[in-house]
Amino acid sequence: MDFMEVVRNRRSVRKFWPEEVVWPDIEEILDAAHLAPSAKNLQPWKFIIVRNEKRRRLLAQASGQEFIGEAPVIVVACATGKGGFIGRYMESWPIDVAIAMDHLTLAAWNKNLGTCWIGDFDENKIKEICSIPEEIRVVALTPLGYPVKNPQPTPRRPLEKVVSQETYS
Ligand SMILES: Cc1cc2nc3c(=O)[nH]c(=O)nc-3n(C[C@H](O)[C@H](O)[C@H](O)COP(=O)(O)O)c2cc1C
């Protein structure tokens, strides 16, 4: 797909076919994720691929969002490298993992696979379900699978409202 076509047509998908996603496709999507830029090139990420149905259901419960358990795959995106900073005060790990996740969602869409950023979950429960060590942070989850249908586009603020020239206005 053309890059802008992928960006324009991507949607958050919340209904999936149970059809399996083959490993080479998952691998290509993860490849796109791990090629993302990161502050000082620290690459503070780890992606856990969950395909086991029981574990998927537990992750869905821990996020209170049952639909994610219906997808054949859930990706749990973790931050491994706390301590990196952008400037003096802004920690870089959530930003780095978010950029990698965006690569992942776009690469998935390019293969006709849907995702949905899940930011609302009980982190301690997710850690328990996936045996994630205490010092590691869970940044996001996403289901991954073939969309039942393409959701309608969600609105965006007009470009002229979010861009200004030279100074903030
Ligand atoms: C940081 C972040 C957290 C989000 N958390 C959730 C979530 O917990 N559950 C959910 O269904 N969607 C979640 N979303 C998806 C947004 O609702 C969605 O991206 C937004 O409405 C725009 O729709 P679109 O992705 O289809 O363009 C989240 C998105 C982001 C970027």
Side-chain angles (χ1 to χ4, degrees):
M1 254 190 259
D2 167 69
F3 177 71
M4 282 310 288
E5 194 186 335
V6 174
V7 172
R8 280 206 181 90
N9 294 334
R10 181 213 53 82
R11 307 275 179 266
S12 289
V13 173
R14 296 183 178 87
K15 205 160 172 41
F16 297 91
W17 296 116
E19 187 184 339
E20 195 201 335
V21 183
V22 295
W23 181 254
D25 286 350
I26 298 176
E27 203 173 31
E28 187 177 315
I29 291 162
L30 292 169
D31 192 28
H34 102 295
L35 290 171
S38 59
K40 300 186 183 126
N41 201 22
L42 285 173
Q43 307 166 54
W45 42 60
K46 173 109 177 183
F47 303 97
I48 306 173
I49 304 304
V50 177
R51 290 185 281 186
N52 174 278
E53 183 172 359
K54 194 166 161 223
R55 188 169 282 122
R56 285 191 278 121
R57 301 281 173 200
L58 289 171
L59 290 173
Q61 275 171 23
S63 63
Q65 306 191 60
E66 294 297 326
F67 74 89
I68 74 170
E70 304 289 334
V73 181
I74 296 178
V75 182
V76 181
C78 304
T80 58
K82 288 193 68 191
F85 279 86
I86 300 169
R88 267 192 227 167
Y89 304 112
M90 197 186 290
E91 284 195 274
S92 51
W93 56 271
I95 298 170
D96 293 333
V97 178
I99 297 169
M101 276 296 275
D102 201 47
H103 277 210
L104 184 149
T105 61
L106 293 173
W109 195 260
N110 189 46
K111 295 205 132 319
N112 301 312
L113 285 160
T115 56
C116 181
W117 185 297
I118 299 295
D120 188 13
F121 50 79
D122 181 326
E123 188 180 11
N124 287 332
K125 284 191 186 155
I126 304 286
K127 284 184 165 183
E128 201 180 310
I129 296 161
C130 292
S131 306
I132 298 170
E134 203 180 321
E135 68 279 11
I136 303 298
R137 296 299 306 268
V138 181
V139 177
L141 316 181
T142 181
L144 175 72
Y146 292 98
V148 168
K149 66 177 167 63
N150 284 353
Q152 288 296 311
T154 51
R156 292 297 185 269
R157 295 157 65 204
L159 202 51
E160 63 272 20
K161 296 255 191 231
V162 298
V163 177
S164 72
Q165 306 285 342
E166 308 294 344
T167 58
Y168 190 101
S169 59

